[in-house]
Amino acid sequence: MAAWLLGLMIFLVHVGGALSAVLALMSSRTSQGAIAWIISLVTMPYLALPAYWIFGRPRFYGYVSARGQRDTVLRRVLQQYRDRFDSHVVDSDDPDVRVVEQLAMMPMTSGNQTELLIDGEATFDSLFAGIDSARSYILIQFFIVRDDALGRRLKKHLIGAAGRGVRVHFLYDEIGSRQLGEGYLKDLRLSGIGVSAFHSSRGWRNRFQLNFRNHRKILVVDGEQGWLGGLNVGIEYLGQSERHGSWRDTHLKLMGPGVLGLQEAFWEDWHWATGSMLNLSWQPWVAHEQGRNVAIVPSGPADPQETASLLIQHQIHSARERLWVTSPYFVPDEGVQDALRLAAMRGVDVRIMIPERPDHLLVFLSAFAFLPAMLKAGIRVYRYLPGFLHQKVMLIDDQAASVGTVNLDNRSFRLNFEITALVADRAFAAEVANMLEADLAHCREVTLQELRSRSLWRKLISRGAYLLAPVQ
């Protein structure tokens, strides 16, 4: 009887592996990902089957359903302010603007002011000042929040705002913030602050789904001021970690109608996490009549298309003179790799800045599998020396620049909820150019000879790591 039962279980596992392999074939977003899952599910289903149902699903289906409810309510709310909002929408006859707006599913707006925040001290001084200035409400979410010296400073400012009667809504990712203790959250709740994890596994269909993460970092104050960028909440982001040392990062402060794009992204995430619909102000606040054009582009695994990857490719194709990119995790898909090589071939000054020190070893090693082809095409690659480079910034000619949370890897393109601010303004582009030129002065350039001289076993490890990139 025991042998019969064991045989049945083995049969069911293999059948489940075969059926899941068919599902991977039909639904995986990349050919590499489909091949990796199919081979694994067919040859070693005992390990691959549970892994696929935890890590392999290509879409966040529950969030898609919740978005339908959100769209109905939010569209009705925004309609009340449409006549006030239209005067701040950028002319959509420009094809580049149309593309960005279709990806963002919201318009590019004018009348914005921006402030580039370089590294942790400037960023958190600005964030805390914004929290202290709140009159009505605060929306705040981070991928990582730690109960350390910086996390406790944040908690103190949030509790102070709640004590003044400001409504505070605090959202965190339960995977990124898995070490955040209940005591920290209890202190916030006892102060009247609304607190929720993102709950990527909420609902029976998502119970075992741990691969979708909310990587966004957003602060919105009164619908008038907003912040986004690369920094999470922890002392390592202030350069106080022994492991990482100096930490190089970039955040962006935004004031004006574009803040409503950040607010909409938070509103949607909060609705998914809690089921409740926040009562917020959707009155566009104009920072300056001659202000900057800004598009806020949320992206994630509930999108009908691969928004983050398409936005990156569009920015690359738009470049005519220079394209400078910084990313801590640089394992772009083939579409982005091809776009970068083509840009270099048509004479664009393409520069990629990545860390010298690895953070995630597998992702770090993957890059060496395709960097030789990039260097051969004329792309220049630099490695940042003083510490860990974590900023996610792109400069397009002298016309525009983007700051956000998107890394150039499969996770950001297809698995994480991310957000990007694209600022189409020459003065802002000049600020970003100056910042990146200062960073490049602290880099060393990677040479083709350096990559060719790597030992065979290092090359083999890099190729193996790259093959796993779609499922990382």
Side-chain angles (χ1 to χ4, degrees), residues 29-60:
R29 294 193 175 190
T30 68
S31 56
Q32 282 180 297
I35 292 169
W37 281 119
I38 290 169
I39 292 174
S40 300
L41 288 163
V42 171
T43 60
M44 44 184 182
Y46 308 102
L47 296 175
L49 189 59
Y52 178 75
W53 286 100
I54 293 174
F55 299 110
R57 291 171 61 190
R59 295 286 304 280
F60 197 159

Side-chain angles (χ1 to χ4, degrees), residues 120 123-124 127-128 131 140-156 158 170-172 176-177 179-180 184 216-219 229-238 247 249 251 390:
T123 296
F124 287 101
L127 289 171
F128 294 154
I131 291 170
I140 183 166
Q141 72 178 109
F142 281 95
F143 177 61
I144 297 172
V145 180
R146 302 198 191 282
D147 187 2
D148 58 12
L150 182 60
R152 290 189 286 273
R153 284 174 62 195
L154 173 64
K155 181 173 68 172
K156 179 179 178 181
L158 292 176
F170 178 89
L171 186 64
Y172 64 96
S177 300
Q179 297 179 353
L180 186 61
Y184 187 100
R216 294 169 180 166
K217 298 95 175 170
I218 295 174
L219 172 65
L231 289 114
N232 287 294
V233 182
I235 59 170
E236 65 267 36
Y237 296 89
L238 296 175
W247 190 280
D249 222 324
H251 231 67
H390 191 255

Side-chain angles (χ1 to χ4, degrees), residues 325-365:
V325 182
T326 69
S327 178
Y329 313 118
F330 185 68
V331 194
D333 57 27
E334 291 181 0
V336 172
Q337 289 184 42
D338 291 344
L340 287 168
R341 285 196 294 267
L342 287 170
M345 290 176 186
R346 67 174 182 266
V348 177
D349 174 17
V350 181
R351 304 189 189 189
I352 309 295
M353 198 185 316
I354 58 177
E356 171 78 359
R357 305 178 187 179
D359 182 30
H360 295 286
L361 186 59
L362 196 62
V363 177
F364 180 79
L365 291 172

Side-chain angles (χ1 to χ4, degrees), residues 92-279:
S92 59
D93 288 339
D94 185 333
D96 286 334
V97 173
R98 287 203 305 271
V99 168
V100 173
E101 289 182 337
Q102 288 184 60
L103 290 172
M105 293 189 289
M106 61 182 70
M108 177 177 281
T109 62
S110 60
N112 297 284
Q113 288 185 341
T114 60
E115 181 182 351
L116 201 59
L117 300 171
I118 300 174
D119 292 333
E121 292 292 346
T123 296
F124 287 101
D125 284 349
S126 180
L127 289 171
F128 294 154
I131 291 170
D132 292 345
S133 72
R135 306 182 309 276
S136 180
Y137 60 85
I138 293 169
L139 314 176
I140 183 166
Q141 72 178 109
F142 281 95
F143 177 61
I144 297 172
V145 180
R146 302 198 191 282
D147 187 2
D148 58 12
L150 182 60
R152 290 189 286 273
R153 284 174 62 195
L154 173 64
K155 181 173 68 172
K156 179 179 178 181
H157 284 276
L158 292 176
I159 290 175
R164 301 194 310 271
V166 175
R167 288 184 292 129
V168 181
H169 301 280
F170 178 89
L171 186 64
Y172 64 96
D173 183 87
E174 63 267 40
I175 303 298
S177 300
R178 59 188 176 276
Q179 297 179 353
L180 186 61
E182 184 57 35
Y184 187 100
L185 302 174
K186 183 179 179 181
D187 289 345
L188 294 178
R189 291 190 180 101
L190 289 176
S191 301
I193 294 172
V195 177
S196 178
F198 180 62
H199 292 312
S200 60
S201 58
R202 183 171 70 83
W204 68 270
R205 296 182 68 185
N206 306 301
R207 186 171 302 278
F208 302 108
Q209 179 53 261
L210 303 177
N211 213 25
F212 297 137
R213 301 168 193 173
N214 198 313
H215 194 240
R216 294 169 180 166
K217 298 95 175 170
I218 295 174
L219 172 65
V220 172
V221 173
D222 299 330
E224 299 175 356
Q225 302 178 79
W227 290 258
L228 76 161
L231 289 114
N232 287 294
V233 182
I235 59 170
E236 65 267 36
Y237 296 89
L238 296 175
Q240 298 176 13
S241 164
E242 292 184 6
R243 176 188 174 192
H244 297 292
S246 175
W247 190 280
R248 177 67 190 90
D249 222 324
T250 300
H251 231 67
L252 179 69
K253 180 182 179 182
L254 175 64
M255 296 163 285
V259 174
L260 297 186
L262 295 177
Q263 180 167 287
E264 192 274 343
F266 183 96
W267 195 97
E268 181 177 275
D269 288 345
W270 187 265
H271 177 222
W272 161 257
T274 68
S276 63
M277 297 181 180
L278 297 175
N279 181 23

Side-chain angles (χ1 to χ4, degrees), residues 6 136 142 145 162 165 203 223 299 311 313 319 322 328-329 352 362 377 379 395 404 416 420 434 446 469:
L6 179 61
S136 180
F142 281 95
V145 180
S299 56
L311 176 64
Q313 290 182 62
R322 67 175 167 181
Y329 313 118
I352 309 295
L362 196 62
I379 295 170
L395 173 66
N416 286 347
T420 302
N434 290 335
V446 178

Side-chain angles (χ1 to χ4, degrees), residues 244-465:
H244 297 292
S246 175
W247 190 280
R248 177 67 190 90
D249 222 324
T250 300
H251 231 67
L252 179 69
K253 180 182 179 182
L254 175 64
M255 296 163 285
V259 174
L260 297 186
L262 295 177
Q263 180 167 287
E264 192 274 343
F266 183 96
W267 195 97
E268 181 177 275
D269 288 345
W270 187 265
H271 177 222
W272 161 257
T274 68
S276 63
M277 297 181 180
L278 297 175
N279 181 23
L280 305 173
S281 170
W282 297 97
Q283 169 71 49
W285 181 75
V286 179
H288 196 287
E289 289 296 338
Q290 303 300 318
R292 296 171 174 178
N293 296 341
V294 174
I296 300 297
V297 187
S299 56
D303 296 352
Q305 53 194 348
E306 294 174 0
T307 304
S309 177
L310 289 174
L311 176 64
I312 296 295
Q313 290 182 62
H314 172 66
Q315 291 175 285
I316 296 169
H317 290 308
S318 299
R320 293 293 176 267
E321 297 177 1
R322 67 175 167 181
L323 180 82
W324 293 0
V325 182
T326 69
S327 178
Y329 313 118
F330 185 68
V331 194
D333 57 27
E334 291 181 0
V336 172
Q337 289 184 42
D338 291 344
L340 287 168
R341 285 196 294 267
L342 287 170
M345 290 176 186
R346 67 174 182 266
V348 177
D349 174 17
V350 181
R351 304 189 189 189
I352 309 295
M353 198 185 316
I354 58 177
E356 171 78 359
R357 305 178 187 179
D359 182 30
H360 295 286
L361 186 59
L362 196 62
V363 177
F364 180 79
L365 291 172
S366 299
F368 293 98
F370 56 83
L371 284 182
M374 292 200 159
L375 267 60
K376 289 177 184 177
I379 295 170
R380 302 177 71 181
V381 178
Y382 297 84
R383 296 178 66 174
Y384 186 75
L385 296 174
F388 187 65
L389 178 77
H390 191 255
Q391 62 176 329
K392 305 96 166 49
V393 175
M394 183 173 288
L395 173 66
I396 306 99
D397 295 334
D398 298 322
Q399 305 295 323
S402 64
V403 178
T405 67
V406 176
N407 298 308
L408 268 70
D409 65 0
N410 181 67
R411 173 160 292 284
S412 276
F413 287 170
R414 298 180 177 88
L415 300 174
N416 286 347
F417 289 86
E418 307 279 6
I419 196 158
T420 302
L422 176 63
V423 183
D425 181 86
R426 293 180 67 89
F428 181 76
E431 293 175 29
V432 172
N434 290 335
M435 177 185 73
L436 296 182
E437 284 173 354
D439 291 334
L440 286 167
H442 297 287
C443 292
R444 69 174 183 85
E445 188 168 0
V446 178
T447 67
L448 193 56
Q449 178 58 37
E450 171 191 344
L451 298 177
R452 285 174 172 167
S453 64
R454 300 175 81 234
S455 63
L456 177 60
W457 72 270
R458 287 181 178 271
K459 293 177 181 178
L460 290 173
I461 291 175
S462 294
R463 290 301 302 178

